[in-house]
Amino acid sequence: MKKDLLSCAELTVNDLNSIIELSQKLKKERGTPGAIKPLAGKSIGMIFAKSSTRTRVSFEVGIQELGGYPVVLDQGQTQMGRGETIPDTAHVLERYLQGIVIRTYKQSDVEGLAQNSRYPVINALTDEFHPCQALTDIFTMWEYSRGNLKGLKLAYLGDGASNMANSLMLATQLAGVDMTIAAPEEFAPVESILNRTGGAGRSRWTTDVVEALRDADFIYTDVWVSMGFEAEARRRMEILAPYQLNMANLRRAKPEAKVLHCLPAHRGEEITDDVMDSEASIVFDQAENRLHVQKAIMTLLMR
Ligand code: CP
Ligand code: NVA
């Protein structure tokens, strides 16, 4: 694997298979006496410039379970918040830490940190990408399809240009999953990612929800107003309203289709209560898997 996890574009099919295999092993062995401690003696920084529940807790617990020590920093309270440059920050932190997990706004800041640090940098969400979530989603689909990802159909409804849509396209292409995004013209997927051929999976875009949901094995949605885009809230809600994941739309997929959401959900906006709480919803298993998958990623990059 490459040194850093920045978007999913740096991964190969073999890397993805290693992550899935190790996630399964770590999930099974969690809490047993034989559980491995590959981060023993290592300190890992966790920098957050945006809110988080799952990422913050699952990384902090995961680092501790792997034997490491998590150093949690609010970006605004560091000197980065007062203008210390990304390269200077990286050169200082590499004297103390053996890895960094960062959630911030600009993808270029995460890339700059990675370029200027000897140690691995993991993107824990930027405006553009959310690779840890997308890899977790692949692992969750792998579990629910009993290891048969190839040829699965994933329908994604809503903001086709979000960090989730971007990383999910990259990850599904590698996994051999066919992803169809139903999104309006205003929030169409990024063309260079949509047309990428990283693996056997194909990404498609349509404005038609019914078309995207036809024969779908999994249905995914994400918030209409991502963190940092609050100024566009009203416009986004209006334009994305026809892309809601509600019961009528759930019924358009395969009868056994499962519902995924990275969470937090805005119930009543992109997803309705009855779908979130339905038998089809596997969102809390998906959230749990963040822990196992991130432990696998850290083990592979930082051991
Ligand atoms: N899905 C996700 O990244 O959740 P948080 O924003 O709570 O970390
Ligand atoms: N697209 C969402 C994902 C949250 C995990 C956001 O960036 O706010």
Side-chain angles (χ1 to χ4, degrees):
M1 263 169 86
K2 293 250 173 78
K3 175 174 84 68
D4 311 292
L5 176 64
L6 304 178
S7 65
C8 279
E10 61 281 288
L11 298 175
T12 63
V13 174
N14 279 344
D15 294 336
L16 179 67
N17 290 337
S18 305
I19 293 168
I20 293 174
E21 206 174 296
L22 187 56
S23 302
Q24 186 195 26
K25 179 175 143 73
L26 291 170
K27 185 168 183 174
K28 214 181 282 169
E29 288 178 0
R30 185 179 182 211
T32 64
I36 54 166
K37 304 271 184 214
L39 298 188
K42 295 184 197 288
S43 298
I44 310 300
M46 296 172 51
I47 304 172
F48 284 85
K50 289 182 176 179
S51 306
S52 172
T53 299
R54 280 143 289 271
T55 307
R56 159 81 204 263
V57 177
S58 57
F59 264 111
E60 191 166 345
V61 169
I63 291 167
Q64 178 264 322
E65 288 185 5
L66 294 175
Y69 179 74
V71 181
V72 186
L73 297 164
D74 172 346
Q75 189 174 321
Q77 299 292 313
T78 69
Q79 298 291 4
M80 270 196 274
R82 297 180 57 250
E84 187 167 20
T85 69
I86 295 286
D88 288 352
T89 305
H91 293 315
V92 171
L93 291 181
E94 69 179 1
R95 303 291 176 109
Y96 310 131
L97 302 168
Q98 284 76 43
I100 295 175
V101 172
I102 177 165
R103 166 171 289 196
T104 192
Y105 293 85
K106 287 197 236 153
Q107 179 71 11
S108 57
D109 284 354
V110 178
E111 287 166 6
L113 206 55
Q115 275 154 20
N116 288 283
S117 169
R118 265 180 293 161
Y119 293 110
V121 170
I122 297 177
N123 177 1
L125 182 146
T126 60
D127 290 349
E128 279 178 70
F129 295 105
H130 196 3
C132 297
Q133 181 69 55
L135 293 169
T136 298
D137 304 336
I138 296 293
F139 178 65
T140 307
M141 288 191 270
W142 179 88
E143 282 187 315
Y144 272 88
S145 62
R146 297 189 184 79
N148 295 312
L149 287 171
K150 297 263 167 341
L152 282 181
K153 284 185 193 299
L154 170 67
Y156 175 102
L157 310 188
D159 180 0
S162 76
N163 44 15
M164 270 327 311
N166 289 342
S167 279
L168 265 177
M169 281 191 276
L170 295 172
T172 49
Q173 287 162 7
L174 279 183
V177 171
D178 290 324
M179 175 169 173
T180 304
I181 295 182
E185 303 267 357
E186 292 86 340
F187 299 105
V190 177
E191 230 169 279
S192 57
I193 303 178
L194 187 73
N195 297 325
R196 211 169 175 271
T197 47
R202 291 284 161 265
S203 311
R204 293 183 185 82
W205 168 50
T206 171
T207 54
D208 181 358
V209 175
V210 179
E211 187 188 325
L213 288 168
R214 195 171 297 130
D215 296 326
D217 301 287
F218 292 90
I219 314 168
Y220 203 109
T221 190
D222 183 13
V223 291
W224 290 339
V225 185
S226 285
M227 292 180 277
F229 295 82
E230 290 78 6
E232 301 173 9
R234 187 193 289 223
R235 178 174 161 260
R236 286 173 163 268
M237 303 281 230
E238 274 171 25
I239 297 173
L240 289 164
Y243 295 85
Q244 185 185 60
L245 180 46
N246 50 37
M247 269 299 167
N249 279 335
L250 176 58
R251 291 199 191 96
R252 296 193 157 102
K254 281 190 181 163
E256 66 277 16
K258 299 288 182 214
V259 169
L260 295 157
H261 191 311
C262 55
L263 305 181
H266 286 205
R267 289 167 175 258
E269 292 177 17
E270 79 280 358
I271 190 165
T272 53
D273 279 325
D274 49 4
V275 172
M276 263 292 277
D277 301 328
S278 71
E279 292 281 311
S281 168
I282 56 171
V283 299
F284 299 115
D285 288 343
Q286 182 188 1
E288 180 196 318
N289 281 338
R290 291 291 301 278
L291 173 68
H292 311 303
V293 172
Q294 288 159 192
K295 282 170 73 180
I297 294 166
M298 289 190 285
T299 300
L300 292 166
L301 294 183
M302 296 170 177
R303 67 179 156 199

